[in-house]
Amino acid sequence: MKKISYFALATAVCTLFTMCQKNAVENINSNTELQTIRVNLVDVTKVAIAQGDSKLTLKWEEGDQLRVIGQTSEVYNIEAGFTDKIASFTGPSAGAGNKTVFYPGTYSDVSAIGARSYTDQLQDGTAPTAHLKFNAIATDLTSISELNLTASNTNAKINQAIKFVVKLPAGVTTVDSLILQAPSALFYTTNAGADKTDRLVLRFKNTDVSTSSQVLTAYMMMSWQQMDILSGTEFTVKVVATGQSEACCFSLKATTTQAYSWVGGKTFTFNMSSKELIHTVKGAGTEADPYLLYDVFDLLQMEKLVAPDVKTYFKLMADVDMTDVTTWNPINQGNTAGVDDKFQIGIDFNGNNHTISNFTITTNLYAGFIGVLNGKVHDVTFDKANITSNGKSAGVVCGYAGTGSYTGDMENVTVKNSTVTQNASAITGLVFGTNGVSGTYTNISAEGTVNMTVAKASDSKKVATGGIGGSSVCSKYTKCSFKGTINGRRLCGGIVGYERTAGSTFSQCSVDAKIDVKKITSATSENVGGIVGYWQGGTIENCWSAGSITATDQTAGGIVGNVLSLSYVKNCFSTMTVGNNKNYGGIVGKGSCDKWIVTYEKALEIEKCIYWGTKIDCGKAAASNGSSGSIVGFATVKNVMKDCWRINDSKFTFVNTGNTNNYPVDQPNNVPGTDEEWEVGKTPQAGTSATCCPYWGKAAAADKTASSVAKTLGWDETIWDLSGSEPKLK
């Protein structure tokens, strides 16, 4: 029997219909008395469950057979001259008495065709209808000369086929299975009807929807037993497919609007918009049973799985490519419907050492994978991310890392080959934009470019750019690194542009960057540092920086730009070169609580630091003030500055007629209150003018390497690798 179907592809459609199966012709002995049966095919009717339309026509075809069982069991073959709906079958007489007729005639008896199972079916993509086995039976027939296989014949039963047309999202490739799920055991497992199940499964092989415009066309058979369906019954169609890695599951739901009997000869239409496609994510979202994210479809469900005042746990199970994601809604942007306290959605995102690549977003509100992080992101890599912000703070991982009473921490996070561009006067970093509460950032590696395209002078210190974060509050950075380019305004740092409150710590952090900072206006002051640009104070130890700083009429340092309160800098190393600055220090640019007073209160303790840069070019207009040094550019004599060293042959240029004594010179330690205390105006360059008080440290011997100097200073070799010419963190 030939099958022809017509259906609409505009939406995901599931159509139930009946169909026939062609079978091999069985030979008949020419001496046998023959009998002819005239058979009418079912007239297809439709019971609508939801809006939509589909049509199916059935046609007899050459080779079709029936089996007639009476006193004997006989096969009847289709005769020539059949039409689409009417055919005559000829075969030996089955003897006197009531008869049973079933199709196809290849089954040996009623028990054999009754045992036909529907629970597990297989569709081959190379022949998608080959598995369809149409069955029909008519029993207790007193006459078989005219047989109607129609719904009006109470003696006839016809099995059924459901047709599914599902438009799947881009990125889905191989389809693994389709499951038709009922709320209870409604489906008969066989034609005989002894047992029921709540689900039927159709498996696939050689089925790749990427070659069919993401449209899955599938066929599933059902028993000829009648099912009585109540109004309001919800059916679910689940499609399990393979995306970028593991299996992913989508579901479609349809609810009946009337009670009806599901029998052969009727066509049922499940019509559902593809926008209602629901992707199912494994797990429960708890710490013990996190949501498991295998592909981009799982990631897109994240925003639907979180809830206010609850920490939701996610675990990445495979590398995910987000190239095809054109719309991403970061969690916790502060605009979640029904949430009074804007950022109370808690998240624990465990990357499980996998990579998210090609993540792209452009937005005005907290641009990033997460909007405002309330919780923790850990053990994940972001590769080739591209973030564009036209409004608030931005970063690849999140725009804001914690705010108010909600902390936002990170551990073992890598961002590489990525770019963040800020087109507004806002705070920006490659990993996160800013935070509003103390955070902990451990083993964070960032590589890429940060661009600040505009900035307003009226925004003051709100304009900050950093390789890890634009700004932060009293945070702890351990084993963090940045490599790349920062094109910034106002406050810039290789790790953080602006650390807003005292008490922050930076330990075992490194930067290798080209930092280019432009002034907002001629009246604004900019502060740039290899590790942190504008620093309220804390501790920096065992850190190093390399690369270059290009800035005009600004304060800059290889490790810190400007120190605003008591700070400790120890065992740090820099080779950063600098050009066109007002005052520059190889380690600290300005260490005087942002005052130009050489006798101001203690602001800095710096010791055992090494500057190994080959060039300091601090050109400054004639008759203008400024102060630069290999260790500290401008210091107060109340600072502790000791045991610091510089390379023997660094090139230093300083054009400033107001401070003609500002040039490299060996200086003793300065430890106020001891015998090692500078005397203003007498110790070399110690307050030689009101705005000139650099700290140069001492020049190493020409045959010394930075590593040999570090060994002499007793640097911890469990932290530092001193085997080469320059110290490197282990």
Side-chain angles (χ1 to χ4, degrees), residues 57 72 141 158 167 275 352 377 420 431 511 621 696 708 716:
T57 48
T72 62
L141 301 175
I158 308 164
K167 182 66 179 277
K275 293 181 180 179
N352 197 26
V377 174
V420 176
V431 179
V511 170
W696 294 95
S708 66
D716 189 344

Side-chain angles (χ1 to χ4, degrees), residues 14 143 171 322 328 350 355 362 377 383-384 466 549 612 650 715:
C14 307
S143 172
M322 297 184 70
W328 178 260
N350 177 7
T355 298
T362 299
V377 174
D383 187 16
K384 300 182 184 67
I549 293 175
W612 221 250
S650 61
W715 283 16

Side-chain angles (χ1 to χ4, degrees), residues 17-274:
F17 60 93
T18 59
M19 62 169 47
C20 299
Q21 168 74 21
K22 180 178 178 180
N23 298 278
V25 177
E26 185 173 309
N27 294 327
I28 300 173
N29 190 318
S30 59
N31 296 322
T32 304
E33 179 184 356
L34 301 181
Q35 185 174 5
T36 298
I37 306 174
R38 179 183 171 89
V39 182
N40 297 318
L41 264 184
V42 59
D43 293 323
V44 177
T45 62
K46 182 174 73 173
V47 176
I49 298 178
Q51 292 183 351
D53 192 23
S54 63
K55 183 181 180 181
L56 171 76
T57 48
L58 305 179
K59 297 181 180 181
W60 291 114
E61 66 178 5
E62 186 177 354
D64 282 335
Q65 292 180 321
L66 301 176
R67 183 174 290 276
V68 178
I69 298 177
Q71 292 176 322
T72 62
S73 176
E74 308 292 347
V75 172
Y76 282 52
N77 293 317
I78 195 169
E79 292 185 341
F82 58 85
T83 66
D84 289 348
K85 292 293 184 181
I86 301 174
S88 295
F89 290 78
T90 301
S93 172
N98 290 354
K99 308 289 192 306
T100 294
V101 178
F102 59 77
Y103 176 91
T106 51
Y107 284 99
S108 60
D109 53 37
V110 172
S111 62
I113 196 171
R116 160 79 184 280
S117 175
Y118 297 93
T119 56
D120 189 12
Q121 304 173 45
L122 176 65
Q123 176 173 316
D124 189 336
T126 60
T129 61
H131 67 292
L132 299 178
K133 309 294 183 183
F134 175 76
N135 296 164
I137 190 169
T139 59
D140 202 25
L141 301 175
T142 57
S143 172
I144 61 172
S145 60
E146 189 82 18
L147 176 62
N148 291 323
L149 293 179
T150 65
S152 60
N153 186 352
T154 57
N155 295 93
K157 292 180 180 180
I158 308 164
N159 74 343
Q160 308 157 66
I162 308 172
K163 182 175 185 176
F164 304 90
V165 180
V166 183
K167 182 66 179 277
L168 293 168
V172 173
T173 55
T174 304
V175 179
D176 301 318
S177 62
L178 183 149
I179 302 167
L180 179 61
Q181 182 78 48
S184 59
L186 296 178
F187 305 121
Y188 288 96
T189 60
T190 64
N191 283 331
D195 299 308
K196 289 184 177 182
T197 181
D198 63 349
R199 54 188 271 159
L200 298 176
V201 178
L202 174 63
R203 294 178 293 108
F204 297 90
K205 69 176 183 178
N206 304 317
T207 303
D208 186 352
V209 295
S210 66
T211 63
S212 59
S213 302
Q214 301 303 125
V215 175
L216 170 67
T217 303
Y219 305 90
M220 178 185 288
M221 298 299 299
M222 295 178 62
S223 169
W224 60 39
Q225 296 292 337
Q226 176 176 315
M227 293 190 303
D228 294 320
I229 309 298
L230 299 176
S231 177
T233 301
E234 183 180 74
F235 289 94
T236 301
V237 179
K238 296 181 180 179
V239 179
V240 180
T242 299
Q244 297 162 346
S245 55
E246 296 288 329
C248 49
C249 183
F250 303 90
S251 63
L252 303 164
K253 293 182 182 294
T255 302
T256 59
T257 58
Q258 66 183 62
Y260 63 93
S261 294
W262 197 336
V263 296
K266 293 184 178 181
T267 301
F268 301 89
T269 302
F270 293 80
N271 187 1
M272 181 175 298
S273 169
S274 59

Side-chain angles (χ1 to χ4, degrees), residues 479-501:
K479 296 185 178 180
C480 296
S481 66
F482 171 73
K483 183 176 183 179
T485 301
I486 298 174
N487 298 307
R489 308 288 183 95
R490 196 71 176 89
L491 311 175
C492 295
I495 300 296
V496 177
Y498 179 25
E499 183 63 24
R500 304 195 303 274
T501 59

Side-chain angles (χ1 to χ4, degrees), residues 382-416:
F382 290 87
D383 187 16
K384 300 182 184 67
N386 194 330
I387 313 299
T388 302
S389 173
N390 299 314
K392 295 184 180 293
S393 56
V396 171
V397 176
C398 60
Y400 231 95
T403 184
S405 60
Y406 307 130
T407 59
D409 298 331
M410 300 181 199
E411 184 175 6
N412 301 328
V413 173
T414 296
V415 175
K416 62 182 182 179

